[in-house]
Amino acid sequence: MISPTNISQKFVKRVLTTVAIIIAAMLFVLLVYYAIDIILLLFAAVLIAIFLRGLGDLTRRYTKLSEGLSVVIVSFLLLVILGGAIALLAPSVAEQVEHLREELPKSAQNVSEYISEFSWGKAIIDQLPDVNEVIDNLTTANFISSVGGFFSTTAGAVANFFIVILLAIYLATEPQTYIHGFVKLFPFERRARVREILAQTGDTLSWWLIGKMGSMLVIGLMTWTGLYFLGVPLSLTLGLIAGLLSFIPNFGPILSAIPAILLAFIESPMKALYVLILYIIVQLIESNLITPMIERETVELPPALTIIAQLALGVLIGGLGLVLATPLLAVVMVLVQMVYIQDVLGDKDTEINEENEEKVTAEDAEDAEEIRIE
């Protein structure tokens, strides 16, 4: 017979365990909240490290160099190429950006006057803030500090950039050191599974990055070429903006199209319409050709879920959260699939079960057809 004392001790033990778990969870949430900038920095470094590691493995395949040396060489060559491109394009791009800054308010004013000629347009314009006020806000330190959390100053942005690059090189040079240390935090019988999950996550991010880099290059070149033949000024800068902002799905293309449409509107509303059609065609090509190629090798990200993740991280964290929302969602999808669905729920044959269900359905249809014929 169990004594009341033993029952009381077990109850107290359960209560203390529950309280300890709750406190630990609250401390973890607080840690994530106050260290979110550092966590995002680390995640950005991991993304770059995966990219450098992929290029390093490709180099090592043909040169037979060591893993660390191949990554260092690739990193050095990329920095040289980036520095050379900046040196060659910076004067032209800087001049175009300054011209863009001068022309956008005039174009926005022209658009406002044109739309105000219509009753529905006048109602919309009355609800919008003044154009000059928006431009002033875009150039203030307050706006810069609100976008991206730790990007509060130019010096801070440059410092964080070099920190991320340095971390990425260290992570890409000796990834097994950090992976081995992380795996040892788990029980011995679970370490093989943890390694498998990490490997799958790395492959997913690697293919996502490859596809995204290709997508950015294609969008940038197509936009630049199309704007050039349409006679839109500052086509090179607008193409660079379109390519860079395409890293942000859904919202990036919209943000990149606005300045191009406004500049085209200076000449005529028809040219602005042609520019809008150009951006739509470029995005259709990207979404129907490049994105399916990415999803063939990585997880499929539902569009609605992607937008929700972007809005949530954009509101809670800022611009950097909006930029990193998609790769973070890809990681979460892999973890949900492998940790929750496969390990917790035990559904490890989802694809096989789906194929079997399709096969059974087809066989049932054939049997029903035979019965009908008889």
Side-chain angles (χ1 to χ4, degrees), residues 24-317:
M26 293 176 62
L27 290 175
F28 178 76
V29 171
L30 288 174
L31 177 64
V32 171
Y33 177 78
Y34 286 106
I36 190 64
D37 290 345
I38 299 175
I39 294 173
L40 290 178
L41 269 177
L42 180 59
F43 184 72
V46 170
L47 283 178
I48 299 175
I50 291 173
F51 178 68
L52 294 177
R53 184 70 183 182
L55 294 179
D57 290 341
L58 185 63
T59 303
R60 187 164 57 92
R61 187 182 304 172
Y62 295 100
T63 60
K64 307 301 180 183
L65 296 172
S66 64
E67 294 182 356
L69 184 58
S70 61
V71 170
V72 171
I73 291 175
V74 166
S75 303
F76 176 75
L77 290 176
L78 286 177
L79 289 175
V80 170
I81 293 172
L82 180 62
I86 292 175
L88 290 175
L89 297 177
S92 175
V93 172
E95 182 181 350
Q96 291 191 16
V97 168
E98 183 61 28
H99 184 61
L100 182 65
R101 185 178 179 277
E102 295 175 356
E103 292 297 327
L104 279 182
K106 302 176 184 177
S107 178
Q109 189 64 37
N110 292 340
V111 173
S112 175
E113 293 175 356
Y114 178 80
I115 295 179
S116 298
E117 296 178 0
F118 306 94
S119 57
W120 56 268
K122 190 174 186 305
I124 295 176
I125 295 299
D126 291 339
Q127 302 299 321
L128 296 178
D130 183 71
V131 175
N132 294 325
E133 181 182 347
V134 173
I135 297 299
D136 291 339
N137 290 332
L138 290 175
T139 58
T140 60
N142 291 331
F143 175 80
I144 297 174
S145 62
S146 66
V147 179
F150 56 87
F151 289 104
S152 56
T153 62
T154 303
V158 173
N160 284 302
F161 172 78
F162 283 106
I163 290 173
V164 168
I165 295 299
L166 187 62
L167 281 174
I169 293 175
Y170 280 130
L171 292 173
T173 303
E174 297 180 344
Q176 292 304 321
T177 301
Y178 306 98
I179 292 174
H180 182 67
F182 180 77
V183 169
K184 290 185 70 175
L185 298 174
F186 295 86
F188 183 80
E189 64 274 6
R190 303 298 300 171
R191 291 177 183 177
R193 180 59 172 170
V194 173
R195 285 186 180 275
E196 183 182 354
I197 293 172
L198 290 177
Q200 181 60 45
T201 304
D203 289 341
T204 298
L205 289 177
S206 178
W207 279 108
W208 184 86
L209 280 172
I210 291 172
K212 184 55 65 176
M213 293 297 173
S215 172
M216 292 170 66
L217 180 62
V218 170
I219 289 177
L221 290 176
M222 290 180 63
T223 304
W224 176 26
T225 304
L227 293 176
Y228 177 80
F229 283 107
L230 286 175
V232 178
L234 315 179
S235 57
L236 175 60
T237 299
L238 294 173
L240 286 173
I241 292 174
L244 292 174
L245 288 180
S246 66
F247 187 84
I248 309 173
N250 303 313
F251 298 100
I254 297 174
L255 295 175
S256 64
I258 292 175
I261 295 174
L262 289 177
L263 284 178
F265 200 90
I266 294 177
E267 296 190 21
S268 69
M270 284 304 300
K271 177 165 285 191
L273 178 62
Y274 294 150
V275 170
L276 175 61
I277 294 173
L278 169 67
Y279 274 80
I280 292 175
I281 292 174
V282 170
Q283 290 306 313
L284 286 175
I285 294 174
E286 190 273 339
S287 59
N288 289 282
L289 293 179
I290 300 176
T291 299
M293 291 174 60
I294 299 173
E295 293 177 348
R296 197 176 303 158
E297 299 292 344
T298 182
V299 295
E300 182 177 356
L301 300 178
L305 195 58
T306 303
I307 294 176
I308 292 172
Q310 289 178 313
L311 291 175
L313 290 178
V315 171
L316 295 176
I317 301 171

